mmCIF file of all heavy atoms in Angstrom:
data_model
loop_
_atom_site.group_PDB
_atom_site.id
_atom_site.type_symbol
_atom_site.label_atom_id
_atom_site.label_comp_id
_atom_site.label_asym_id
_atom_site.label_seq_id
_atom_site.Cartn_x
_atom_site.Cartn_y
_atom_site.Cartn_z
ATOM 1 N N ALA P 346 83.413 87.318 108.870
ATOM 2 C CA ALA P 346 84.753 86.727 108.773
ATOM 3 C C ALA P 346 85.698 87.514 107.841
ATOM 4 O O ALA P 346 85.218 88.084 106.858
ATOM 5 C CB ALA P 346 84.597 85.257 108.340
ATOM 6 N N THR P 347 86.965 87.396 108.151
ATOM 7 C CA THR P 347 87.940 87.994 107.304
ATOM 8 C C THR P 347 88.131 87.208 106.010
ATOM 9 O O THR P 347 87.668 86.060 106.002
ATOM 10 C CB THR P 347 89.331 88.207 108.005
ATOM 11 O OG1 THR P 347 89.713 86.979 108.513
ATOM 12 C CG2 THR P 347 89.211 89.188 109.172
ATOM 13 N N ASP P 348 88.795 87.717 105.037
ATOM 14 C CA ASP P 348 88.894 87.032 103.705
ATOM 15 C C ASP P 348 89.551 85.737 103.842
ATOM 16 O O ASP P 348 89.425 84.948 102.894
ATOM 17 C CB ASP P 348 89.353 88.014 102.568
ATOM 18 C CG ASP P 348 90.852 88.375 102.877
ATOM 19 O OD1 ASP P 348 91.345 88.240 104.052
ATOM 20 O OD2 ASP P 348 91.472 88.891 102.029
ATOM 21 N N GLY P 349 90.329 85.466 104.812
ATOM 22 C CA GLY P 349 90.981 84.159 105.043
ATOM 23 C C GLY P 349 89.936 82.965 104.948
ATOM 24 O O GLY P 349 90.306 81.914 104.488
ATOM 25 N N LEU P 350 88.723 83.177 105.391
ATOM 26 C CA LEU P 350 87.747 82.148 105.363
ATOM 27 C C LEU P 350 87.105 82.138 103.970
ATOM 28 O O LEU P 350 87.055 80.997 103.344
ATOM 29 C CB LEU P 350 86.531 82.463 106.398
ATOM 30 C CG LEU P 350 85.415 81.415 106.233
ATOM 31 C CD1 LEU P 350 85.797 80.095 106.666
ATOM 32 C CD2 LEU P 350 84.145 81.968 106.988
ATOM 33 N N TRP P 351 86.764 83.209 103.387
ATOM 34 C CA TRP P 351 86.027 83.203 102.113
ATOM 35 C C TRP P 351 86.951 82.832 100.936
ATOM 36 O O TRP P 351 86.448 82.434 99.912
ATOM 37 C CB TRP P 351 85.439 84.579 101.830
ATOM 38 C CG TRP P 351 84.657 85.051 102.931
ATOM 39 C CD1 TRP P 351 85.004 86.137 103.797
ATOM 40 C CD2 TRP P 351 83.424 84.522 103.561
ATOM 41 N NE1 TRP P 351 84.061 86.320 104.796
ATOM 42 C CE2 TRP P 351 83.063 85.311 104.733
ATOM 43 C CE3 TRP P 351 82.616 83.550 103.193
ATOM 44 C CZ2 TRP P 351 81.953 85.132 105.434
ATOM 45 C CZ3 TRP P 351 81.377 83.322 103.909
ATOM 46 C CH2 TRP P 351 81.194 84.058 105.044
ATOM 47 N N GLU P 352 88.292 82.876 101.110
ATOM 48 C CA GLU P 352 89.198 82.429 100.138
ATOM 49 C C GLU P 352 89.128 80.919 99.993
ATOM 50 O O GLU P 352 89.477 80.295 98.949
ATOM 51 C CB GLU P 352 90.629 82.819 100.398
ATOM 52 C CG GLU P 352 90.859 84.324 99.981
ATOM 53 C CD GLU P 352 92.135 84.881 100.698
ATOM 54 O OE1 GLU P 352 92.849 83.957 101.377
ATOM 55 O OE2 GLU P 352 92.461 86.036 100.525
ATOM 56 N N THR P 353 88.767 80.227 101.090
ATOM 57 C CA THR P 353 88.869 78.770 101.143
ATOM 58 C C THR P 353 87.344 78.141 101.031
ATOM 59 O O THR P 353 87.372 76.954 100.708
ATOM 60 C CB THR P 353 89.405 78.209 102.430
ATOM 61 O OG1 THR P 353 88.664 78.725 103.563
ATOM 62 C CG2 THR P 353 90.890 78.783 102.502
ATOM 63 N N MET P 354 86.345 78.807 101.329
ATOM 64 C CA MET P 354 85.048 78.227 101.372
ATOM 65 C C MET P 354 83.978 79.094 100.687
ATOM 66 O O MET P 354 83.939 80.313 100.784
ATOM 67 C CB MET P 354 84.650 78.033 102.841
ATOM 68 C CG MET P 354 85.362 76.935 103.467
ATOM 69 S SD MET P 354 84.698 76.595 105.147
ATOM 70 C CE MET P 354 83.395 75.488 104.738
ATOM 71 N N HIS P 355 82.963 78.439 100.083
ATOM 72 C CA HIS P 355 81.845 79.153 99.453
ATOM 73 C C HIS P 355 80.807 79.435 100.483
ATOM 74 O O HIS P 355 80.686 78.619 101.478
ATOM 75 C CB HIS P 355 81.300 78.272 98.360
ATOM 76 C CG HIS P 355 80.166 78.978 97.527
ATOM 77 N ND1 HIS P 355 78.910 79.119 97.914
ATOM 78 C CD2 HIS P 355 80.307 79.719 96.401
ATOM 79 C CE1 HIS P 355 78.180 79.755 97.019
ATOM 80 N NE2 HIS P 355 79.103 80.175 96.074
ATOM 81 N N ARG P 356 80.103 80.597 100.394
ATOM 82 C CA ARG P 356 79.132 80.923 101.499
ATOM 83 C C ARG P 356 78.068 79.924 101.634
ATOM 84 O O ARG P 356 77.645 79.723 102.821
ATOM 85 C CB ARG P 356 78.525 82.317 101.193
ATOM 86 C CG ARG P 356 77.724 82.412 99.931
ATOM 87 C CD ARG P 356 77.124 83.767 99.758
ATOM 88 N NE ARG P 356 76.252 83.806 98.507
ATOM 89 C CZ ARG P 356 76.645 84.136 97.309
ATOM 90 N NH1 ARG P 356 77.968 84.419 97.150
ATOM 91 N NH2 ARG P 356 75.762 84.075 96.296
ATOM 92 N N GLN P 357 77.814 79.164 100.610
ATOM 93 C CA GLN P 357 76.687 78.149 100.771
ATOM 94 C C GLN P 357 77.145 77.009 101.684
ATOM 95 O O GLN P 357 76.324 76.511 102.413
ATOM 96 C CB GLN P 357 76.320 77.598 99.315
ATOM 97 C CG GLN P 357 74.990 76.942 99.193
ATOM 98 C CD GLN P 357 73.844 77.780 99.852
ATOM 99 O OE1 GLN P 357 73.640 78.958 99.467
ATOM 100 N NE2 GLN P 357 73.149 77.142 100.694
ATOM 101 N N ASP P 358 78.363 76.724 101.562
ATOM 102 C CA ASP P 358 78.992 75.623 102.400
ATOM 103 C C ASP P 358 79.088 76.122 103.832
ATOM 104 O O ASP P 358 78.843 75.401 104.787
ATOM 105 C CB ASP P 358 80.437 75.196 101.886
ATOM 106 C CG ASP P 358 80.296 74.444 100.534
ATOM 107 O OD1 ASP P 358 79.275 73.805 100.280
ATOM 108 O OD2 ASP P 358 81.184 74.611 99.705
ATOM 109 N N VAL P 359 79.473 77.383 103.962
ATOM 110 C CA VAL P 359 79.554 77.997 105.305
ATOM 111 C C VAL P 359 78.152 77.979 106.015
ATOM 112 O O VAL P 359 78.030 77.506 107.136
ATOM 113 C CB VAL P 359 80.094 79.485 105.221
ATOM 114 C CG1 VAL P 359 79.896 80.111 106.551
ATOM 115 C CG2 VAL P 359 81.485 79.525 104.803
ATOM 116 N N ALA P 360 77.153 78.267 105.213
ATOM 117 C CA ALA P 360 75.762 78.231 105.763
ATOM 118 C C ALA P 360 75.348 76.835 106.254
ATOM 119 O O ALA P 360 74.828 76.666 107.352
ATOM 120 C CB ALA P 360 74.707 78.819 104.807
ATOM 121 N N ARG P 361 75.720 75.868 105.408
ATOM 122 C CA ARG P 361 75.272 74.526 105.733
ATOM 123 C C ARG P 361 76.051 73.954 106.863
ATOM 124 O O ARG P 361 75.487 73.348 107.841
ATOM 125 C CB ARG P 361 75.554 73.613 104.493
ATOM 126 C CG ARG P 361 75.175 72.120 104.703
ATOM 127 C CD ARG P 361 75.438 71.345 103.444
ATOM 128 N NE ARG P 361 76.765 71.385 102.982
ATOM 129 C CZ ARG P 361 77.914 70.774 103.493
ATOM 130 N NH1 ARG P 361 77.734 70.080 104.605
ATOM 131 N NH2 ARG P 361 79.088 70.948 102.906
ATOM 132 N N ILE P 362 77.440 74.248 106.977
ATOM 133 C CA ILE P 362 78.232 73.675 108.041
ATOM 134 C C ILE P 362 77.822 74.328 109.387
ATOM 135 O O ILE P 362 77.655 73.531 110.379
ATOM 136 C CB ILE P 362 79.665 73.907 107.706
ATOM 137 C CG1 ILE P 362 80.117 72.913 106.583
ATOM 138 C CG2 ILE P 362 80.605 73.675 108.964
ATOM 139 C CD1 ILE P 362 81.471 73.306 105.899
ATOM 140 N N VAL P 363 77.497 75.608 109.464
ATOM 141 C CA VAL P 363 77.219 76.239 110.675
ATOM 142 C C VAL P 363 75.815 75.861 111.047
ATOM 143 O O VAL P 363 75.526 75.542 112.193
ATOM 144 C CB VAL P 363 77.419 77.803 110.595
ATOM 145 C CG1 VAL P 363 76.869 78.531 111.893
ATOM 146 C CG2 VAL P 363 78.810 78.153 110.320
ATOM 147 N N GLY P 364 74.920 75.813 110.096
ATOM 148 C CA GLY P 364 73.483 75.499 110.337
ATOM 149 C C GLY P 364 73.431 74.028 110.924
ATOM 150 O O GLY P 364 72.727 73.882 111.932
#
Side-chain angles (χ1 to χ4, degrees):
T347 53
D348 62 346
L350 173 70
W351 310 110
E352 283 165 4
T353 60
M354 291 188 86
H355 189 273
R356 63 176 183 272
Q357 200 50 55
D358 294 326
V359 170
R361 179 180 55 78
I362 287 163
V363 175

